[in-house]
Amino acid sequence: MRAQFNSFHRAVRRVFGAVVCAGAVLLMAASAPAQNLFVTDFEGGNVYEYTPDGVRTTIATGFTWPSGLAFDKAGNLYVGNDYNSIYGTYLDNNVTKITPAGVQSIFAYPVYEPRGLAFDSAGNLFAVDGPSDTVTKITPDGTPSTFASDGLSYPDAIAINSADDVFVANYISTAIYEYTPGGVRTTFSSLVADLPMGMAFNSAGDLFVADSFYGYIDEFTPDGTNTIFASGFYDPAGLAFDSAGNLFVADYHNIFKITPSGAVSLFASGLNFAYGLAFQPSPEFVAAETNGVIQVAVTMPPPNYSTIVQVSTDLMSWTSVCTNTPPFTFTDPMGTTLPGRFYRALLGP
């Protein structure tokens, strides 16, 4: 019986990635699936996907100078690029949307050299427009408008924190500006050395910046205090954190992985010019039974997207029982009245 249960447990993990089974007799929690890394090859014109062990596949081609990458809540991938040949005509300076099925479409146009992309919690996409010295805000229906243009000097990197404050790094002036959701600007730091090309927040709210001139990765605490987190890179650009807190760095022909303790290792090589990086967020959850009541706790690495908790009794028919933004805890009103209840968490609307 024990062997049969373990085999069934492994099968559940293969099919669903992260499923919790709870009931009066047994309680189990499967770990969250490891995240795949998505990368733009700036000079190669491709978008690649890497498994956690570094196996690469090509998911999109036909771009000219693809750069910024970002996922929306539904798992669609957005690519900032100078030119997209999928329509056979010259349509430059746009953001392209790629569905999970691989279907491409132009999401927003024109957006000039969108080297950095980031979503806020409302589903608005922000893009830095270097040549026009602006930050463009794009609503979920693809309508672009100018979010900021005051004092920018070729903005080249962008990141949004959990409070929806927008951080923009200037490639020429090297200052980092912080904008409230309403567009009010303050200077977060003027200590970035030269040519910042990528930014990302970790789960603690620290901002990491790729200094492409000196080959540093700088870490800024929320109050703007700056330290060098890692060094020795050739031309670091895009940055992205996985759910385990490891920082991935796009560094010209290579991609490096840096653990939270600062240990650096080579993750992938053989690219023409690795630029943008993005992980699709995946909900993580555990179940606990106390006095016949089942609670499912849901967490997620930032950005914290809306998440749907679903329940099933047969792993075939699923019912949505809760939609919220992590971290949150869902209490199942059915408790342990049934022999077994299975849970899963999906990205929400």
Side-chain angles (χ1 to χ4, degrees):
M1 179 66 180
R2 181 73 178 180
Q4 291 177 347
F5 172 74
N6 287 338
S7 297
F8 175 72
H9 185 188
R10 288 192 294 270
V12 169
R13 292 184 66 174
R14 284 198 299 271
V15 174
F16 295 106
V19 176
V20 170
C21 171
V25 178
L26 63 89
L27 178 68
M28 72 176 185
S31 61
Q35 298 166 285
N36 288 353
L37 176 66
F38 293 77
V39 182
T40 51
D41 193 334
F42 186 78
E43 293 182 355
N46 302 317
V47 179
Y48 297 126
E49 179 180 0
Y50 287 88
T51 63
D53 57 0
V55 177
R56 186 180 86 181
T57 57
T58 302
I59 66 166
T61 61
F63 298 105
T64 297
W65 299 333
S67 48
L69 278 182
F71 276 100
D72 68 9
K73 299 176 182 179
N76 299 301
L77 181 63
Y78 294 76
V79 184
N81 62 105
D82 289 11
Y83 167 53
N84 191 326
S85 65
I86 62 174
Y87 295 108
T89 58
Y90 189 82
L91 186 60
D92 61 348
N93 299 313
N94 64 77
V95 176
T96 298
K97 175 182 176 180
I98 306 175
T99 68
V103 178
Q104 297 185 37
S105 61
I106 299 299
F107 175 68
Y109 168 85
V111 184
Y112 297 100
E113 295 188 17
R115 299 286 186 252
L117 303 177
F119 276 97
D120 66 10
S121 62
N124 299 300
L125 179 62
F126 289 75
V128 286
D129 302 351
S132 60
D133 290 331
T134 63
V135 177
T136 297
K137 178 180 179 180
I138 309 169
T139 59
D141 65 359
T143 302
S145 63
T146 297
F147 174 75
S149 60
D150 54 322
L152 294 170
S153 180
Y154 208 99
D156 203 68
I158 188 170
I160 298 178
N161 67 10
S162 59
D164 281 338
D165 296 318
V166 180
F167 291 72
V168 178
N170 292 279
Y171 189 77
I172 295 177
S173 71
T174 72
I176 298 176
Y177 293 148
E178 177 180 356
Y179 295 88
T180 67
V184 177
R185 189 192 84 181
T186 56
T187 298
F188 175 71
S189 177
S190 58
L191 297 178
V192 181
D194 277 299
L195 311 184
M197 291 180 63
M199 296 198 300
F201 281 100
N202 68 3
S203 59
D206 291 343
L207 179 63
F208 290 72
V209 181
D211 183 337
S212 64
F213 185 83
Y214 288 106
Y216 296 158
I217 305 299
D218 295 313
E219 179 179 2
F220 292 84
T221 60
D223 65 0
T225 302
N226 178 26
T227 57
I228 296 175
F229 177 68
S231 61
F233 299 99
Y234 177 72
D235 191 11
L239 303 178
F241 281 95
D242 68 8
S243 59
N246 300 301
L247 177 61
F248 286 72
V249 182
D251 187 28
Y252 204 51
H253 297 309
N254 304 310
I255 301 171
F256 290 95
K257 175 182 176 181
I258 311 175
T259 66
S261 64
V264 180
S265 61
L266 178 65
F267 174 74
S269 59
L271 293 100
N272 290 305
F273 185 179
Y275 201 107
L277 301 180
F279 285 100
Q280 183 178 10
S282 58
E284 302 172 4
F285 60 105
V286 295
E289 178 184 347
T290 304
N291 297 326
V293 177
I294 298 173
Q295 290 188 323
V296 180
V298 182
T299 59
M300 179 185 290
N304 297 303
Y305 291 153
S306 174
T307 300
I308 301 171
V309 176
Q310 295 183 329
V311 65
S312 173
T313 58
D314 57 9
L315 291 175
M316 297 179 63
S317 176
W318 292 88
T319 301
S320 298
V321 291
C322 178
T323 300
N324 206 337
T325 300
F328 66 89
T329 299
F330 165 72
T331 300
D332 188 348
M334 294 298 294
T336 56
T337 58
L338 296 176
R341 289 171 71 75
F342 297 85
Y343 303 89
R344 67 181 182 183
L346 309 173
L347 293 184

